[in-house]
Amino acid sequence: MAYVIKDSCISCGACAGECPVSCISEGDGIYVIDAPSCIDCGSCAGVCPVDAPQPE
Ligand code: SF4
Ligand code: SF4
């Protein structure tokens, strides 16, 4: 299990600073999660203004 950032991401960067394992980085237009590193904590979803990170 890992969270995935959906296309609704507005690249605000808020989630990247909250991730305890630092697996979120700026991608091409949206932020991206390195799935193998994600521990499924949900912190990114908690701070996102547009609800872009979703559990897969
Ligand atoms: Fe990072 Fe947790 Fe979000 Fe996974 S669910 S990307 S570990 S903040
Ligand atoms: Fe994108 Fe939400 Fe992360 Fe901001 S907090 S970069 S909108 S996923």
Side-chain angles (χ1 to χ4, degrees):
M1 281 285 286
Y3 273 63
V4 173
I5 294 176
K6 301 297 185 184
D7 289 346
S8 53
C9 170
I10 56 172
S11 288
C12 72
C15 56
E18 293 296 320
C19 180
V21 294
S22 300
C23 70
I24 306 176
S25 58
E26 188 169 11
D28 186 14
I30 64 172
Y31 271 60
V32 292
I33 293 170
D34 178 47
S37 302
C38 176
I39 58 171
D40 215 27
C41 71
S43 293
C44 51
V47 298
C48 181
V50 295
D51 230 18
Q54 298 286 335
E56 283 283 299

